[in-house]
Amino acid sequence: ELIRALKAREQQLMAEVDQIVGQTSKTLAAQRDRYQLTQTQLASCLEFMEESLRTGSPQEVLSMKKPVVERVQQMAKEFQPNHFQPGPEEIIHFSHEQLTDACKRFGEAKVVSVCPEKCYATGEGVERAIPGKVATFTVHTVDKDGKTCEDLNAPVTAELLSHGDGAIVKCQVARREGHTYELTYQPQSRGQHDLNVKVYGRPIKNSPFTVAVRKAAPDCQGIHVKSITGLKSPWQLAVTKEGLIVVAEYTAHCITVFDREGHKLRSFGHQGSDQSKLSLPRGVALCSDNSVLVTADHCVKKYSLDGKFVASVGTYGSGQLEFNFPWGIATNNKKVYVCDTRNHRIQVLNEDLTYHSSFGSHGSGPG
């Protein structure tokens, strides 16, 4: 900020110097023109006097003496050497007293516990905003160890810089309870912006932030169309390309198919002992040919959309094609993804229910 202020003052002073130089040049040019005119007049007068002495009578010479002397004295009076220099108002004088006094008072040494590089900002305003709408975010002041630190006089500043037109919007700062400050701004143009946030004149953590200023999305609200009632613990559903709704009814031990208007078409897989029966179905998904896949009883079962049993794969265990409470299921690009819940993994099958791969394991780290 200091360097910027000094450069700005330098530009202002140089502009003033250029103006003074221009005015002085005009003054000297006018003086030069007067000097040249006087010189021409003197030469003409001298030539006239020489001609008169050569050709005139004594009486004529004596009669011209007085007016010629007066004219020469007048021209000599007009031509003064001190005229050919800048006037007092055109002399450049640089005053440094104010700068010297300011330098003597410059800076302040004080001990503060707030560490600007550790301070951080939260809130939607550091990520996105809407043109013409007030955006808000919060700055948290902390010390070098990242612990909250209350500083009643911590100078928090922020400004928003547009990538497009270069416009700068200053943020308003209001101190809140404890170690937090609430900052607000109102962007005018859309596009990417840089949000520069500083504490004690130094950038805080992750500053400058990149803020996307975009027009607000339409206010979309869900509109109730129709309710399907009479289901027993519906767990998961899938929708065919034709709009048919396939629902896994957990405590009814079946899969139920509805048309797009919510009218029941059929149910299948009711509880029983053979492979085609279901017990507590949870997940349901559709293959590329609209076959229905269901997770239940530590296995994955496959049916046609009209309810005919096709195949079943899986038993209790932790190996390939073994499951421990498979719940969710989904399909993509002719692959089947089964959430093998208590084995803490995802098993990937082909649509014909053969094994493809698996990933994931128990733990909190990646994968």
Side-chain angles (χ1 to χ4, degrees):
E1 294 295 333
L2 176 61
I3 298 299
R4 185 187 303 175
L6 289 173
K7 288 184 176 180
R9 182 56 180 163
E10 178 187 19
Q11 293 176 352
Q12 183 180 358
L13 288 173
M14 290 306 299
E16 293 176 2
V17 169
D18 290 341
Q19 184 178 6
I20 292 173
V21 170
Q23 293 174 348
T24 302
S25 298
K26 291 180 180 179
T27 300
L28 292 175
Q31 292 175 356
R32 181 200 60 203
D33 293 341
R34 287 200 302 271
Y35 166 74
Q36 291 175 346
L37 177 61
T38 302
Q39 187 180 33
T40 301
Q41 291 174 342
L42 284 172
S44 177
C45 183
L46 179 60
E47 183 180 351
F48 175 75
M49 290 173 61
E50 290 177 345
E51 182 66 22
S52 298
L53 290 172
R54 218 176 23 250
T55 61
S57 65
Q59 293 80 7
E60 291 176 341
V61 171
L62 288 174
S63 64
M64 290 187 294
K65 177 181 177 182
K66 183 178 180 180
V68 169
V69 170
E70 290 177 352
R71 178 57 181 158
V72 170
Q73 289 176 344
Q74 181 183 358
M75 287 189 290
K77 185 179 179 179
E78 291 177 355
F79 177 65
Q80 297 294 332
N82 60 356
H83 286 176
F84 294 90
Q85 60 182 359
E89 73 282 357
E90 296 169 329
I91 297 176
I92 299 174
H93 175 67
F94 175 71
S95 175
H96 58 79
E97 287 82 5
Q98 290 181 335
L99 177 60
T100 303
D101 292 342
C103 289
K104 291 178 180 179
R105 299 190 302 271
F106 176 71
E108 180 182 8
K110 61 184 297 186
V111 177
V112 296
S113 53
V114 172
C115 179
E117 290 76 10
K118 296 287 186 178
C119 296
Y120 61 95
T122 59
E124 187 175 358
V126 297
E127 297 179 358
R128 64 186 67 88
I130 299 172
K133 301 291 184 180
V134 175
T136 306
F137 63 96
T138 302
V139 172
H140 306 259
T141 54
V142 297
D143 62 17
K144 62 182 180 60
D145 297 319
K147 297 179 181 179
T148 58
C149 178
E150 183 174 347
D151 188 337
L152 300 179
N153 299 310
V156 179
T157 60
E159 63 181 23
L160 188 74
L161 172 65
S162 171
H163 286 195
D165 56 15
I168 296 177
V169 177
K170 297 289 184 180
C171 296
Q172 302 298 315
V173 182
R175 190 175 183 279
R176 295 296 181 238
E177 295 182 359
H179 64 290
T180 61
Y181 294 79
E182 183 180 83
L183 287 85
T184 58
Y185 63 89
Q186 187 171 342
Q188 299 302 319
S189 58
R190 288 187 287 182
Q192 294 294 101
H193 291 66
D194 283 339
L195 179 62
N196 295 280
V197 185
K198 297 180 179 180
V199 175
Y200 282 107
R202 287 149 59 188
I204 69 170
K205 184 179 180 180
N206 296 326
S207 178
F209 301 88
T210 300
V211 179
V213 181
R214 298 190 180 96
K215 186 178 179 181
D219 186 12
C220 299
Q221 296 182 352
I223 300 175
H224 179 264
V225 177
K226 188 177 183 65
S227 295
I228 299 177
T229 59
L231 298 172
K232 295 183 178 180
S233 303
W235 194 277
Q236 188 175 351
L237 64 82
V239 181
T240 69
K241 296 176 182 178
E242 297 73 28
L244 299 182
I245 305 167
V246 183
V247 183
E249 292 192 68
Y250 182 69
T251 56
H253 310 286
C254 68
I255 299 297
T256 304
V257 181
F258 299 86
D259 63 17
R260 63 173 60 240
E261 301 299 327
H263 301 127
K264 181 177 179 179
L265 299 178
R266 69 187 73 87
S267 291
F268 54 86
H270 295 279
Q271 191 174 22
S273 57
D274 62 78
Q275 274 193 323
S276 66
K277 302 302 181 181
L278 290 171
S279 177
L280 303 174
R282 295 178 176 85
V284 62
L286 297 170
C287 293
S288 57
D289 62 356
N290 271 349
S291 296
V292 180
L293 300 175
V294 184
T295 55
D297 298 329
H298 309 298
C299 66
V300 178
K301 297 190 176 185
K302 186 176 185 180
Y303 299 84
S304 64
L305 190 58
D306 58 7
K308 295 179 180 178
F309 176 74
V310 177
S312 177
V313 66
T315 58
Y316 176 78
S318 58
Q320 294 182 6
L321 296 179
E322 293 179 345
F323 301 94
N324 189 352
F325 287 95
W327 285 12
I329 187 171
T331 58
N332 184 46
N333 291 332
K334 296 189 176 182
K335 292 292 184 292
V336 181
Y337 298 85
V338 183
C339 180
D340 195 358
T341 306
R342 295 188 182 176
N343 281 329
H344 309 287
R345 66 182 179 180
I346 301 295
Q347 287 206 61
V348 185
L349 313 181
N350 300 305
E351 284 193 345
D352 61 0
L353 301 187
T354 56
Y355 179 81
H356 181 273
S357 59
S358 68
F359 58 89
S361 60
H362 186 265
S364 59

